[in-house]
């Protein structure tokens, strides 16, 4: 079983991954590096990976999870990015963190995902999974989008807005937070429905239970200009017309040194200080 290091494409991070890989091998840990230029195929079969180690920011963390197609592999993020909230930060030596993770001596938690079936007006259909969020947004021309959505078959609203974000608790500190959504504990298994810059004062975010099902119908004269993003990556879909969202069947197992989530939230987002 191997440790797979997944560095971002920054030169300094690639150099750091090479050094870390050498140190791990010197410590008796079988490690490999995922080439940043090969973004679609893991160099190690997921069945042979004992620990996945993204090295970068939150984008690298999300890419790593998609790289192994949400295989049930523990993920230990090492922050080499600007924010890196998913990976967190630690003053501990990276080799020590990795060896403790392999020994099961770190803090592990399960993170819920979102699954969606996206139907497009050309007749194609896409099954997607996200750890952070699924976002339907207006196009480059800036025209607003139109959307009607329902929960468990009950109509909620007809929306004119810049888009619609559906976020997990993990993603609540990402795009959804920037759009004014709530911060959720990562232990929460449900998801958030967040209209993006709605053209109505009465439209609000909704927090759904894990068993709830969200259905959205997309329309409008400019729907062919819109985009659909899965964890920040564009879905190749010509004009989404319908989406069905539900709690994902996959979970992501994250490893950390046990730093408290709300302490991190305070420090990163509110300028708080540790006691």
């Amino acid at each position: 079983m191997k440790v797979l290091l997944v560095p971002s494409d920054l030169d300094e991070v690639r150099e750091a991954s090479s050094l870390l890989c050498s140190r791990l091998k010197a410590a008796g840990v079988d490690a490999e590096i995922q080439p940043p230029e090969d973004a679609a195929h893991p160099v190690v079969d997921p069945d042979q990976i004992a620990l996945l180690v993204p090295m970068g920011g939150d984008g690298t963390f999300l890419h790593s999870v998609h790289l192994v197609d949400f295989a049930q592999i523990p993920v230990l993020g090492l922050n080499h990015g600007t924010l890196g909230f998913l990976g967190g930060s630690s003053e501990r030596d990276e080799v020590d963190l990795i060896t403790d993770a392999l020994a099961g001596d770190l803090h592990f938690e399960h993170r819920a995902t979102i699954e969606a079936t996206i139907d497009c007006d050309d007749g194609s259909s896409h099954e997607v999974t996200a750890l952070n969020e699924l976002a339907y947004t207006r196009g480059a021309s800036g025209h607003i989008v139109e959307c009607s959505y329902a929960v468990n078959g009950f109509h909620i609203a007809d929306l004119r807005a810049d888009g619609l974000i559906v976020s997990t608790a993990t993603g609540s500190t990402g795009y959804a937070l920037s759009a004014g959504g709530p911060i959720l504990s990562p232990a929460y298994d449900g998801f958030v429905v967040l209209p993006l810059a709605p053209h109505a004062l009465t439209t609000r975010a909704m927090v759904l239970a894990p068993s709830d099902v969200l259905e959205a119908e997309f329309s409008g004269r400019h729907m062919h200009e819109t985009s659909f993003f899965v964890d920040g990556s564009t879905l190749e879909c010509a004009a989404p017309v319908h989406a069905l969202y539900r709690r994902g069947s996959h979970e992501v197992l994250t490893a950390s040194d046990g730093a408290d989530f709300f302490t991190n939230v305070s420090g990163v987002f509110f300028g708080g200080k540790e006691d």
Side-chain angles (χ1 to χ4, degrees):
M1 299 294 284
K2 296 179 179 288
V3 170
L4 181 60
L5 307 178
V6 186
S8 72
D9 58 3
L10 295 176
D11 289 341
E12 57 268 29
V13 180
R14 298 177 73 166
E15 292 173 2
S17 69
S18 295
L19 176 59
L20 178 57
C21 187
S22 297
R23 293 183 60 212
L24 287 169
K25 290 181 177 179
V29 176
D30 192 359
E32 296 286 346
I33 300 174
Q34 177 71 27
E37 59 272 13
D38 188 356
H41 308 288
V43 294
V44 178
D45 189 298
D47 291 339
Q48 299 301 314
I49 301 174
L51 183 67
L52 190 64
V53 183
M55 299 179 65
D58 287 352
T60 305
F61 192 103
L62 295 170
H63 163 66
S64 299
V65 172
H66 284 270
L67 177 69
V68 297
D69 196 23
F70 290 88
Q72 295 302 289
I73 302 167
V75 187
L76 173 64
L78 301 180
N79 183 17
H80 287 260
T82 303
L83 180 58
F85 188 78
L86 284 174
S89 60
S90 175
E91 296 180 355
R92 294 186 57 195
D93 181 77
E94 292 181 339
V95 172
D96 290 341
L97 282 171
I98 290 172
T99 54
D100 281 354
L102 292 171
D105 293 334
L106 291 188
H107 175 72
F108 294 86
E109 61 184 10
H110 293 271
R111 300 289 186 99
T113 60
I114 304 172
E115 291 179 352
T117 302
I118 314 299
D119 298 320
C120 302
D121 74 344
D122 63 358
S124 63
S125 182
H126 305 264
E127 300 286 341
V128 296
T129 302
L131 173 60
N132 254 23
E133 78 278 312
L134 301 170
Y136 174 75
T137 68
R138 65 181 185 175
S141 68
H143 292 110
I144 64 171
V145 300
E146 298 179 33
C147 169
S148 175
Y149 58 98
V151 177
N152 301 332
F154 295 95
H155 178 261
I156 301 298
D158 295 317
L159 179 69
R160 288 168 59 85
D162 284 0
L164 186 71
I165 301 172
V166 183
S167 167
T168 64
T170 297
S172 71
T173 55
Y175 190 10
L177 179 66
S178 300
I183 295 176
L184 301 178
S185 165
Y188 182 64
D189 285 350
F191 50 99
V192 175
V193 182
L194 182 66
L196 182 58
H199 289 231
L201 295 177
T202 55
T203 305
R204 294 290 183 268
M206 297 180 63
V207 180
L208 304 187
S211 59
D212 288 334
V213 176
L214 172 71
E215 186 172 10
E217 298 280 352
F218 308 119
S219 59
R221 290 186 299 137
H222 305 287
M223 58 186 299
H224 285 83
E225 303 172 1
T226 61
S227 298
F228 203 99
F229 296 96
V230 181
D231 280 342
S233 296
T234 304
L235 176 67
E236 295 299 328
C237 178
V241 295
H242 178 269
L244 191 69
Y245 304 83
R246 57 205 172 271
R247 186 188 186 280
S249 57
H250 300 284
E251 291 184 336
V252 175
L253 181 62
T254 63
S256 70
D257 63 357
D260 181 74
F261 170 76
F262 292 104
T263 298
N264 288 339
V265 164
S266 175
V268 173
F269 298 112
F270 298 99
K273 297 180 179 179
E274 296 185 10
D275 294 335

